[in-house]
Amino acid sequence: MRIGVIGTGRIGTIHANTLSRHREVGSLILTDADPARAQELAHRLGETAAPGVDEIYTWGVDAVVITTATSAHAELIGRAARSGLPVFCEKPIALDLPGTLHALAEVDAAGTVLQMGFQRRFDAGYTGAREAVRSGRLGRLHTVRALTSDQAPPSAARLALSGGLYRDTLIHDFDILRWVTGHEIVDVYAAGSDAGPATFREAGDVDTGAALLTLDDGTLATVTATRLNGAGYDVRMELAGELDQIVVGLDDRTPIASTEPTGPPAADKPWTGFLERFGPAYETELAAFVEVVRGERANPCDGREALQALRIAEACEVSRRERRPVHLAEIPGGSGAAAL
């Protein structure tokens, strides 16, 4: 099969490398807003570079992978859908609900496939946690604690286009919380701090955030995130039930040190970023997409999942600004919740 990759930046390069090695992918067509960048990557991989998006369609592909700036996602999803092509797209579909809903409507009207890039669903640790919860090993789940901590903040230019901490970073925690537990979030109470670098205040964003979430079965969850975790990149989820307790993301590279005399030592080589931490998961999600395109499996993460995660992020933004609890029912787009 031939796959078009639109966007050859950091994550686009990772995905192109993965797809170029896949035994079922015969060739790639790469394009980017910076044609020289696409040409350089194509030369390195022995693939073909296209001068623009139009050529992806006129030259002919079997599927499209979208890794551009977020602002272009919805339009590119719609174009691929109208062309009858299956699409893999990095999250989010759009930074707002109207754009997200419009793109989903185009996919539904065309009857095509949209698989979203929530790579944590393909991580061994989170998969194990989902199995533990669903098997009943933990008993009744009562508490979940999740966190995402970046080692260094994004550039000011990147920050201005990110959509904010809840939409850009914690959206992964919102998605994986639903996926692991099998339950919907019904209300949120969120707060944020912009006490760090001035670039966050200038962008109308926060550098650190937290939210208390209530699930539809009464389980309580807390999620926290920061852009300023100097010790390293830290992503964890703790799940506590009446029978047992487990944690995702605790290994010899977790950037945390114990103050207990007999506690584990600090990591010699802490994780530095998400591309390193989730490298295997990125490969697995693209392998799943190839299977979806070949008709060998069902879509493991469709666009409705991205919609639900965005609705939670939107609720957190409202809660942070207005300093009040927000029910998810207040946020548009809730009809027809995604399958868990």
Side-chain angles (χ1 to χ4, degrees):
M1 86 179 53
R2 172 185 274 187
I3 295 179
V5 179
I6 306 176
T8 56
R10 182 171 56 170
I11 192 64
T13 296
I14 295 291
H15 288 343
N17 271 278
T18 297
L19 291 167
S20 187
R21 298 192 307 267
H22 197 289
R23 65 182 183 277
E24 300 294 348
V25 178
S27 62
L28 303 177
I29 300 177
L30 312 177
T31 192
D32 192 272
D34 179 355
R37 184 164 67 178
Q39 184 65 55
E40 189 279 330
L41 179 59
H43 178 74
R44 180 149 42 94
L45 297 178
E47 303 290 355
T48 302
V53 174
D54 289 347
E55 286 76 12
I56 292 286
Y57 297 97
T58 58
W59 294 358
V61 294
D62 300 298
V64 173
V65 170
I66 299 171
T67 63
T68 62
T70 296
S71 58
H73 286 185
E75 179 183 350
L76 292 170
I77 289 170
R79 182 168 185 179
R82 293 190 299 274
S83 299
L85 293 172
V87 180
F88 175 93
C89 185
E90 281 299 321
K91 65 82 189 169
I93 294 173
L95 289 177
D96 60 12
L97 288 167
T100 298
L101 292 167
H102 179 74
L104 290 177
E106 291 215 70
V107 172
D108 288 344
T112 53
V113 170
L114 169 60
Q115 181 181 328
M116 296 305 301
F118 282 111
Q119 85 283 354
R120 294 188 193 182
R121 293 178 176 227
F122 299 89
D123 176 73
Y126 285 106
T127 300
R130 175 182 165 100
E131 293 171 353
V133 171
R134 304 301 181 93
S135 71
R137 169 184 160 187
L138 306 186
R140 185 187 68 85
L141 189 66
H142 54 72
T143 308
V144 182
R145 295 175 285 269
L147 65 89
T148 295
S149 300
D150 292 327
Q151 185 174 28
S155 66
R158 168 75 177 81
L159 188 63
L161 300 173
S162 71
L165 187 69
Y166 291 100
R167 297 185 191 93
D168 185 49
T169 300
L170 278 171
I171 197 166
H172 282 286
D173 296 271
F174 301 146
D175 175 71
I176 205 65
L177 176 61
R178 295 178 59 249
W179 187 74
V180 167
T181 65
H183 289 281
E184 295 292 349
I185 293 162
V186 295
D187 58 52
V188 309
Y189 191 91
S193 170
D194 61 2
T199 50
F200 291 94
R201 291 185 292 280
E202 292 164 359
D205 196 7
V206 294
D207 57 74
T208 303
L212 172 64
L213 315 174
T214 304
L215 278 61
D216 58 15
D217 67 341
T219 299
L220 295 179
T222 58
V223 295
T224 63
T226 184
R227 304 280 201 178
L228 304 166
N229 198 57
Y233 180 70
D234 192 5
V235 172
R236 278 176 283 139
M237 173 183 272
E238 300 172 7
L239 299 108
E242 292 182 347
L243 299 180
D244 203 356
Q245 181 172 235
I246 56 176
V247 59
V248 178
L250 183 62
D251 59 21
D252 60 0
R253 299 192 63 183
T254 304
I256 191 168
S258 173
T259 61
E260 298 296 334
T262 59
D268 290 331
K269 189 181 178 183
W271 298 108
T272 59
F274 62 90
L275 292 178
E276 182 185 33
R277 164 65 178 85
F278 290 109
Y282 283 119
E283 293 195 9
T284 304
E285 71 175 356
L286 283 178
F289 179 60
V290 171
E291 292 176 354
V292 170
V293 175
R294 288 171 55 83
E296 296 172 351
R297 68 175 294 175
N299 187 351
C301 185
D302 70 19
R304 294 174 299 159
E305 307 285 0
L307 170 62
Q308 297 307 321
L310 180 61
R311 290 181 66 242
I312 299 164
E314 290 288 331
C316 286
E317 283 289 359
V318 173
S319 177
R320 179 180 71 87
R321 290 195 307 268
E322 300 182 4
R323 297 178 177 272
R324 67 175 179 89
V326 174
H327 297 289
L328 262 292
E330 299 178 43
I331 308 301
S335 59
L340 296 168

